[in-house]
Amino acid sequence: MSHDSHVETRAVSHGEEPAPETGRGDVVSPIHLASTFALPALDTGLSLEDVDPARGEFLYSRLSNPTRHAVEQRLAALEGGTHGFAFSSGTAAINTALLATVEPGDHVVAFDDLYAGTRRMLEELFVKRLNVEVSFVDATDTGNVEAAIREDTRLVWMETPTNPLMKLCDIGAIASVAHEHGALLGVDNTFMSPLCQRPLALGADLVAHSTTKYLNGHSDSVGGALVTDCDELAESLGFLQQVALGNMLAPFDSYLLLRGTKTLPVRMRQHEANARRIAEYLEDHEQVSRVLYPGLESHPQYDLAREQQTGFGGVLSFELDGDIDDVVAFLGNLEQFTLAVSLGGVESLIECPAAMTHEPIPREEREAVGITDTLIRVSVGIEHVEDLLADLDRGFAAVDATHQSPSP
Ligand SMILES: Cc1ncc(COP(=O)(O)O)c(C=O)c1O
């Protein structure tokens, strides 16, 4: 299939070849569970490089597996890259990206508002154990990234929008700055999915995903992905994934991801339509002090969002005008939104970052960046939006009820 086809078409079928053993071929890829594959004969000249999954050749499933190969092809096609890799988690993908690009003594510039797990990975593993230096900067201003870049900077690592503050950074401008200084740019595109943002087309060298989120989309599989169009980088990533770390995605999860990506375009459209309605509803609500959603004109980087994104996604945050007891009452009375970490599934999830995902960060640090006790993050699902709005009404009514003076 051509890379020129539309994203909706690539999402449905790219990477899945009909299997000849079932007459005219399976319409969907079977799940290949085999850990090893029979060779036709002993070929004394056989080397790993001779085995080509693109020709339907497989040797051992850690190296390559037909189901994983199919999904890796599709992930690459969706992000507009030439090499795709599927991992056992988003964390494994990011860890592999870092190991492929930096060595002890190197310097990394990273957004100071990264996913907490990535920040901990950088601090606890790369800084403390692997002697890599990391400068965390407010990348909403590209000038801060440029000021932090040094001669030994090998990698710039970004997320946009960030979690849960929905801050953006300018991928194209940061790519130019990184490249001028001989550094690579990696972007974690989990929040947007390739439907809403294509970092490679904007100049990034590497894109990472927690496929656990939108790409799989059904909250039933943990996985990760990397996509690049750089052959040299792909070689390092392949070595780490298949030889040194063995942190690849298993066949069953590869199948789930392959299946999930088919509906990504339709899901994303519904996530976004619902998120927009909810963001507007919250913006008008007297019990809400601020709403953070890049699709609202009130977002401080709305213009950048319109420029570099092709959609606004389904995650938003808002601040309840009250205290932590109000948050407890609000969350405790919702019936449709599930109180849970994670995001990007078809069902609506809600969480309080200060008490859940970002609880390990000291309070002063949290509050200094704007993660207050009453900040609530929502991953808007694809349910009927009127049911979601009715549920939020229920939550706000419960907060009101706690403020009524007890009857005499
Ligand atoms: C933006 C982002 N990147 C990476 C990860 C890590 O992914 P995983 O949980 O699949 O390891 C997450 C998980 O929440 C995330 O939100």
Side-chain angles (χ1 to χ4, degrees), residues 89-92 94 115 118 159 163 188 190-191 209-213 222-224 342-343 377:
S89 65
T91 303
I94 294 167
Y115 166 62
T118 305
E159 273 172 34
N163 171 19
D188 181 335
T190 299
F191 263 47
H209 279 279
S210 165
T211 60
T212 316
K213 312 300 190 305
V222 172
S342 200
L343 58 108
R377 188 194 75 190

Side-chain angles (χ1 to χ4, degrees), residues 20-68:
E21 62 268 28
T22 47
R24 298 181 67 188
D26 294 19
V27 170
V28 297
S29 278
I31 308 174
H32 288 267
L33 294 170
S35 57
T36 189
F37 300 88
L39 296 174
L42 181 64
D43 178 350
T44 49
L46 183 77
S47 77
L48 288 186
E49 287 76 40
D50 293 334
V51 179
D52 184 0
R55 291 199 302 258
E57 297 168 357
F58 298 92
L59 187 68
Y60 183 60
S61 265
R62 170 162 46 74
L63 305 175
S64 193
N65 164 284
T67 319
R68 190 175 96 228

Side-chain angles (χ1 to χ4, degrees), residues 67-78:
T67 319
R68 190 175 96 228
H69 178 68
V71 81
E72 290 181 332
Q73 297 295 104
R74 181 165 305 162
L75 293 166
L78 289 175

